[in-house]
Amino acid sequence: MSVIVAQSLHIFGLRSRVANNVCYFDEQIIIYPSGNSCVKYHLEQKWQKFIQGSEKSQGMLALAMSPNRRYLAVSEIVQEKPTITIYELSSVPCKKRKVLSVFDFPVQEFVSLAFSPDSKYLVAQTGPPESNLAYWMWEKQRTMAVVKADIQNNPVYQVSFNPQDNTQVCITGNGIFKLFRYTEGTLKQTNFQRGEPQNYLSHVWLTEDRVMVGTDTGKLFLFESGDLRWETSIECKEPPSEVEKDELAHESESLIEFPTASSPDLSSEMLCEAVGQQQASLPQISAIAGYSKGFACSAGPGVVLLFEKTEEKEGYRENREIRIPQDQRSSDPNQSDKQDVTCMCFSPSEETLLISTSKNQLYIFTMSSTEIIKGELAHFEYLNFPLHSAAITGLDTCIRKPLVATCSLDRSVRIWNYETNTLDLYKEYQEEAYAVSLHPTGLYVLVGFSDKLRLMNLLIDDIRTFKDFTVRGCRECTFSNGGHLFAAVNGNVIHIYSTTSFENVNNLKGHNGKVRSVIWSADDNKLISCGTDGAVYEWSLLTGKRESECVLKSCSYSGVAISPDAKIIFAVGSDQTLKEISDSSILREVPTFDVTYTAIVVSHSGRMVFTGTSVGTIRSMKYPLPVHKEFNEYQAHAGPVTKMSITCDDQFLLTGSEDGCLLIWKVYDKEGRGLKREKEVGYAEEVLITKTDMEEKTQVMLELKTRVEELKMENEYQLRLKDMNYNEKMKELTEKFIQEMESLKTKNQVLKAEKEKQELQYQEQLSELMEKQSREMQDLESGNNQKLLLEYEKYQELQVKSQRMQEEYEKQLHDMEETKNQALEELTEYYEAKLHEKTTLLEEAQDDARQQLREFEETKKQIEEDEDREIQEIKIKYERRLREERESNLRLKGETGIMRKKFNSLQKEIEERSNDIETMRMEQQKLQGVIKSLEKDVLGLKREIQERDETIQDKEKRIYDLKKKNQELEKFKFVLDYKIKELKKQIEPRENDIKAMKEQIQERWRFHNFPRQSIPMEGELERFHKQNMQLELNITELRQKLKATDHEMHKEQQKERDMEALVKRFKTDLHNCVGFIQEPKKLKEGIRELYDKYVQQADMVEIVGVDTDLQQEYTRQREHLERNLATLKKKVVKESEIHRADNVRIMQENVSLIKEINELRRELKVTRTHVHDLQSALGLHRKNKKQGIPDTVPSHELLPSPSVLRLNVEEETERIIEMQRLEIKRLRDQIQGQEHILALRPLSGGRLPMLEIERSHGTQPQ
């Protein structure tokens, strides 16, 4: 077995198609099916314990809880056989008590189960076409009775026991309502249906003889002892309007934390559209549950009605309506509460009502609230959280938070917390979600919808779309480990996007089929992908090309994983093997033992490998992978595992399935210790919230605070009024009570007198009764004594009779013994005489036997002599025959040897022929396989040819466009060449002036006796020029700062002067005001005038303070710009250094080119002298002078002159030299232009001209 152990911790999901899928174990613990297990869930402490399903189970069909809450029966299909497993719930963990798997009657599946009231018997109903009802004593696995419930193959929905009678059973179905009683080893029907048959969906026993039944047309029937006693119809009620809801919301806050999670399935939507009008008037009663006051029943989608017994004998009246709340986060809130109730049950104390719906949701309702708030609208609450109602298609975790994101075909995206086992966020959309990926920070989520790919922010209470990408039908998407990139799959193309700039960085093309899985390497340099075309590709993100590939067309891959060191790739697919791939080759193939792996994940430590199968199980194994069955297999889901993920610390494993369940596993080693985390870093607690949301929340908080203050004031006022009213009432009541006490005192005295009278009367009556009783006792004693005497006399008579009878019996016994002795003596005499006769006969027979023995011996001797003679004759005869046979045998042996050799040779030939036939057959199979693969290759090549034809057409169009552009560019080139020639003509005189100036400078240097090699003048001038520029810049900056400080100083001085003037004016006014100290009125008016006058001045001072704040902000901005300017200067210095290096490099290249030119010139000179020498040697000059032109023409025609050829070469070299000169000039001009631009650089922090020129130079080649 594997060292790695996975323990199931928590599961989010419900199996709604299981009959009776919710039941109470006690007041706080419920049991419901989820995945391939049943879950015990504590309502307050929120823990889960698992009752594991059977191995190789294909799914549960029905549950049943025993009345004593000790046993749980589960109907399953195990290896295509129906099985009933009974678990003992009292043991920890729950153990299997009995397994019923062998049946003596035909059965395909059990659709409903029920325990008897004493929990000793079990009844089960099979589905059509058998429709058998079986009755067991389950502890002894003994079938008590089997009966066919229906002949017409109608479906049966529910079976139940009478709560007071082990022998009475009720079943309901389409047109079926039957009561059976177990008598004399058989189940007999005790009722007979009258009237039209109905489609009875559910029923419940209200008493030992009353059954309430619900139909699909909204009718309730009450049957008593099989006869109809009462019926009623239920109509669908419209939900309250939004105005009413708002009023109710203002009056009392709802306790529901989460709205409904699921949206309707496509099938249910179609059904609702088809029969919407019919359902509006005729709700289906799909579930009924009874309690002490009456019963509860479903009344159409999302509605439960409570009925209570009336004072009449057999009637019930509707007491309360409870609704499933609408989901405001749903894509269609009005349809979100339209969920059919599949099962409901009351807690043992009847305090809570629990229901399950057709969309895998669990709701709870507190019954005490029906009595407290009768007038308000009642709503169910979620038992925990809204769950997925369809297959989970995507699952992913992040690094910085304990979050897991899931998406489903129910069009929802949910964010779960696997540490607290809670649902943090969820939202529904209009389109189906196929893939999901969490950013490593846990703040963003990437979701692939049917129409586009969306990048969304995870806010504190919402999932909000941030960016849409035009990737339709994205079935796979994943963030890189660093979070800076993400990959999205569109068919057979993988798009790589940047998370920061949202640009399409790369498109990875190469798969011929749909890509099923992609995964990043740990360093994000590689991407691994696999697809239905049987290809596993390793892509390099640096080059965008494939680094390695492994193609196996017979396998359709479904999942891929990579080791932490990115050296080994693990792939699973349809060929029932786990492949280990490295360097484009399959290293190992590990068999899966008759299951198909659908998903795979490798731990970050590289020591653990987990796989999910098509039957819903999880396998854990240690790396390196085992060859034999060295792995642990766990029952997990009721459908194929679609996605798996492991947390970054290798502590938790998360799995999702087509059954819509999310399962959290804790990973341990074999000794039970948890795997150690490499780094102990706490999870991030930051959340995202938008500024508008914050402002709205603060506004709402302020409003609520004001409202609370108003309510406090109002409540205090109301309390004071109530106190006054209560005090008045108390006074009235005290006066009233005093009066009543006095009246009661008088009444008490009267009653005491009456009591004394009655006591006297009762004493007299008691004395009379006592006397009467004593008289009656005496009479009874005398009567009883007489009866006793009579009975004693009868007893004596009977005793005498018994003595007489005993004496008679003794006499009879004595007579019988005498007769017996006489008969015995007679028999002994008779048999002795017979014995004597027989002895005589025996002696005679012995004499005859002796005589016959003697005769026999004589005959024996004669016969022996005759036989000896005959034996001798026969011996001689057969010896002769034996010799003949031996001779013939030798002859036949030779013949058989020859025949055997022939047979062996023929057998060898047959074997060779059979071997040839086998080899030919194998070759034929191989050739057929080759033909098939070649056909596939041909199809693939045809597709490639089509694609390449399309690409060729695109490229031809591109070439045509480029040719057009090329023609236009050639025109531009011609124009520019003309302009360049004109510019060169303008530049030549300037170059001559520059040369003349340079010569003058050199002469001056020589005059001052400065060696040219030691101090180059140009470099020194350039350095001085730069220093001057830097000093000018510093001077301008200092001047600006000085100007700013002067301005601020003048402002401060002006402010100080203003303040001094204000203080003087205030002193004078105050001195004038003090003069009125004896006159209070004038003093008051004067002070008021002072206040009115100088308080405004103080406000002006505050405004001046605001101006100072603005000045501070200005200085801060200025400092920021100065810093930016300093950085830009640094950049300029760096760029000038780069340009200087480029100039040096160009100068070096120029020097090398000049050297080459000089060498070419020397070579040209040598060749010219050589040609001249040759011409003089041959005497060509004299011939040319003496002979005319007609003589020279034929010589040129006959033999071309080598000098002409050499002159062509010289022209070519001169042309090359001219081009080099032009290039040198151009480069010098460019250098001078750059130096000029550096010299004229502006002082502001704006965009620099040199950078713009560089950008224009950079864009021209492109």
Side-chain angles (χ1 to χ4, degrees), residues 484-628:
H484 61 291
L485 298 172
F486 65 85
V489 174
N490 182 10
N492 57 357
V493 180
I494 304 167
H495 302 281
I496 308 297
Y497 287 90
S498 170
T499 310
T500 52
S501 63
F502 310 119
E503 292 179 357
N504 189 356
V505 178
N506 219 328
N507 292 324
L508 308 179
K509 297 180 181 179
H511 282 280
N512 293 326
K514 289 185 179 179
V515 178
R516 294 289 299 277
S517 180
V518 292
I519 189 166
W520 294 84
S521 63
D523 57 359
D524 293 336
N525 287 330
K526 295 179 182 178
L527 185 75
I528 315 301
S529 64
C530 69
T532 56
D533 56 351
V536 177
Y537 292 147
E538 183 178 350
W539 307 87
S540 173
L541 270 300
L542 298 174
T543 61
K545 295 179 181 178
R546 283 189 298 223
E547 283 195 350
S548 66
E549 60 183 35
C550 179
V551 181
L552 185 66
K553 293 191 176 180
S554 59
C555 175
S556 175
Y557 288 108
S558 58
V560 70
I562 189 169
S563 62
D565 56 2
K567 290 181 180 178
I568 296 170
I569 300 167
F570 304 93
V572 295
S574 60
D575 60 349
Q576 296 187 352
T577 57
L578 168 56
K579 295 178 180 61
E580 207 171 333
I581 301 168
S582 179
D583 296 331
S584 302
S585 62
I586 298 172
L587 298 180
R588 295 173 64 197
E589 288 192 4
V590 181
T592 62
F593 303 102
D594 298 331
V595 296
T596 303
Y597 287 156
T598 56
I600 184 169
V601 67
V602 178
S603 67
H604 297 86
S605 64
R607 296 195 304 110
M608 301 178 288
V609 179
F610 298 94
T611 58
T613 67
S614 57
V615 295
T617 58
I618 303 296
R619 290 182 178 178
S620 65
M621 56 195 81
K622 193 174 180 181
Y623 186 78
L625 298 175
V627 179
H628 305 291

Side-chain angles (χ1 to χ4, degrees), residues 646-647 649-653 665-667 674-677:
I646 194 165
T647 58
D649 55 0
D650 293 343
Q651 294 278 309
F652 298 96
L653 175 71
W665 304 78
K666 179 74 173 173
V667 180
L675 296 169
K676 294 179 181 177
R677 290 182 66 174

Side-chain angles (χ1 to χ4, degrees), residues 876-1049:
I876 293 161
K877 183 181 174 184
Y878 279 106
E879 281 177 354
R880 196 182 303 117
R881 191 180 290 175
L882 184 65
R883 282 196 298 274
E884 293 172 356
E885 290 292 331
R886 277 178 181 168
E887 290 172 359
S888 64
N889 196 8
L890 287 169
R891 191 172 61 254
L892 289 168
K893 274 184 181 177
E895 291 175 359
T896 51
I898 294 160
M899 294 297 288
R900 194 174 289 152
K901 287 179 182 176
K902 286 182 180 178
F903 176 74
N904 288 331
S905 63
L906 288 168
Q907 200 165 8
K908 285 179 183 176
E909 286 180 3
I910 289 161
E911 287 176 356
E912 288 174 358
R913 294 289 179 272
S914 62
N915 289 328
D916 292 340
I917 289 160
E918 284 294 322
T919 53
M920 293 296 284
R921 194 174 292 157
M922 292 294 287
E923 286 178 1
Q924 186 183 1
Q925 288 177 355
K926 286 179 183 177
L927 289 168
Q928 284 178 352
V930 170
I931 287 160
K932 286 180 182 177
S933 64
L934 287 170
E935 286 175 352
K936 289 180 182 176
D937 292 341
V938 167
L939 289 170
L941 289 167
K942 282 180 179 177
R943 286 197 210 97
E944 285 182 4
I945 287 160
Q946 288 177 358
E947 291 173 359
R948 287 181 180 177
D949 287 338
E950 291 172 359
T951 53
I952 285 161
Q953 288 175 2
D954 295 337
K955 286 180 179 179
E956 284 177 353
K957 288 179 183 176
R958 180 71 176 161
I959 288 160
Y960 181 69
D961 295 335
L962 289 169
K963 280 180 180 177
K964 282 186 176 179
K965 286 182 181 177
N966 197 8
Q967 289 173 1
E968 291 174 0
L969 289 169
E970 282 177 356
K971 291 176 184 177
F972 284 123
K973 183 185 173 186
F974 179 75
V975 174
L976 290 168
D977 287 339
Y978 180 72
K979 286 182 180 179
I980 286 161
K981 285 176 183 176
E982 288 180 352
L983 289 168
K984 280 178 182 176
K985 289 175 183 176
Q986 293 174 8
I987 287 162
E988 281 176 1
R990 291 183 184 178
E991 281 185 350
N992 295 327
D993 294 338
I994 289 161
K995 281 180 184 178
M997 295 294 286
K998 281 184 179 179
E999 286 173 1
Q1000 288 176 7
I1001 290 160
Q1002 286 174 2
E1003 285 173 1
R1004 286 180 185 176
W1005 274 104
R1006 288 195 200 97
F1007 180 72
H1008 291 291
N1009 294 322
F1010 286 115
R1012 190 176 179 185
Q1013 286 86 8
S1014 60
I1015 303 171
M1017 182 179 164
E1018 290 179 358
E1020 193 71 24
L1021 280 168
E1022 189 177 351
R1023 187 164 58 77
F1024 284 138
H1025 182 66
K1026 285 182 180 176
Q1027 284 178 359
N1028 289 331
M1029 290 296 293
Q1030 188 67 34
L1031 289 168
E1032 283 176 3
L1033 284 170
N1034 291 335
I1035 288 160
T1036 52
E1037 285 177 3
L1038 290 168
R1039 279 176 181 167
Q1040 285 177 357
K1041 284 182 181 178
L1042 186 64
K1043 197 182 287 183
T1045 51
D1046 287 338
H1047 185 64
E1048 287 174 4
M1049 189 181 71

Side-chain angles (χ1 to χ4, degrees), residues 723-735:
D723 287 339
M724 291 168 66
N725 291 327
Y726 288 146
N727 289 328
E728 290 176 359
K729 284 182 181 178
M730 280 172 69
K731 284 179 183 178
E732 291 175 359
L733 287 169
T734 50
E735 290 173 358

Side-chain angles (χ1 to χ4, degrees), residues 132-192:
N132 289 322
L133 180 67
Y135 186 87
W136 279 286
M137 184 183 284
W138 62 269
E139 285 188 343
K140 296 182 180 178
Q141 296 188 0
R142 190 170 72 196
T143 306
M144 308 291 286
V146 178
V147 67
K148 194 168 182 66
D150 185 55
I151 304 168
Q152 299 175 356
N153 292 333
N154 288 325
V156 180
Y157 302 123
Q158 188 181 354
V159 62
S160 66
F161 265 103
N162 187 323
Q164 305 294 330
D165 190 355
N166 285 349
T167 61
Q168 194 170 14
V169 178
C170 175
I171 64 167
T172 51
N174 190 358
I176 302 166
F177 171 70
K178 294 182 180 180
L179 296 172
F180 292 92
R181 188 174 290 279
Y182 177 73
T183 55
E184 299 175 358
T186 58
L187 284 166
K188 295 182 180 177
Q189 187 175 348
T190 58
N191 72 319
F192 298 98

Side-chain angles (χ1 to χ4, degrees), residues 165-381:
D165 190 355
N166 285 349
T167 61
Q168 194 170 14
V169 178
C170 175
I171 64 167
T172 51
N174 190 358
I176 302 166
F177 171 70
K178 294 182 180 180
L179 296 172
F180 292 92
R181 188 174 290 279
Y182 177 73
T183 55
E184 299 175 358
T186 58
L187 284 166
K188 295 182 180 177
Q189 187 175 348
T190 58
N191 72 319
F192 298 98
Q193 295 185 26
R194 297 182 179 89
E196 289 186 10
Q198 303 278 340
N199 187 5
Y200 301 106
L201 298 179
S202 57
H203 71 269
V204 67
W205 291 84
L206 299 177
T207 61
E208 60 183 345
D209 56 353
R210 286 188 171 193
V211 183
M212 184 65 71
V213 185
T215 69
D216 63 343
T217 57
K219 289 185 178 180
L220 285 168
F221 296 99
L222 179 65
F223 292 94
E224 185 174 355
S225 301
D227 297 328
L228 183 63
R229 288 284 182 266
W230 178 80
E231 69 174 288
T232 187
S233 295
I234 297 171
E235 292 183 359
C236 272
K237 297 180 180 178
E238 289 297 323
S241 64
E242 294 297 324
V243 178
E244 291 175 2
K245 283 186 182 177
D246 292 338
E247 289 174 0
L248 290 167
H250 284 300
E251 288 173 7
S252 65
E253 293 179 1
S254 176
L255 298 174
I256 297 170
E257 294 179 358
F258 292 92
T260 311
S262 57
S263 63
D265 294 331
L266 291 174
S267 59
S268 61
E269 284 180 356
M270 290 166 67
L271 189 66
C272 287
E273 288 174 2
V275 292
Q277 295 178 352
Q278 185 180 356
Q279 285 187 347
S281 58
L282 301 174
Q284 291 188 355
I285 303 172
S286 54
I288 304 181
Y291 69 113
S292 57
K293 294 182 181 179
F295 65 92
C297 69
S298 64
V303 182
V304 172
L305 300 178
L306 293 178
F307 283 83
E308 287 188 1
K309 193 171 183 181
T310 59
E311 294 176 356
E312 300 173 6
K313 257 192 174 181
E314 298 166 354
Y316 289 86
R317 63 178 174 81
E318 182 185 333
N319 181 38
R320 195 65 191 274
E321 178 184 353
I322 312 166
R323 286 186 174 271
I324 293 173
Q326 289 188 357
D327 182 4
Q328 298 306 319
R329 299 186 189 183
S330 172
S331 57
D332 188 1
N334 294 326
Q335 294 295 323
S336 60
D337 59 342
K338 301 295 187 287
Q339 304 180 47
D340 292 327
V341 179
T342 56
C343 180
M344 63 174 68
C345 64
F346 286 92
S347 63
S349 63
E350 298 180 355
E351 288 185 0
T352 54
L353 172 64
L354 189 66
I355 67 166
S356 65
T357 68
S358 58
K359 293 179 184 169
N360 301 353
Q361 305 300 322
L362 286 170
Y363 294 95
I364 195 166
F365 181 74
T366 306
M367 293 297 292
S368 58
S369 61
T370 58
E371 297 171 2
I372 294 167
I373 44 175
K374 287 267 185 182
E376 293 182 7
L377 185 68
H379 281 102
F380 283 100
E381 301 172 14

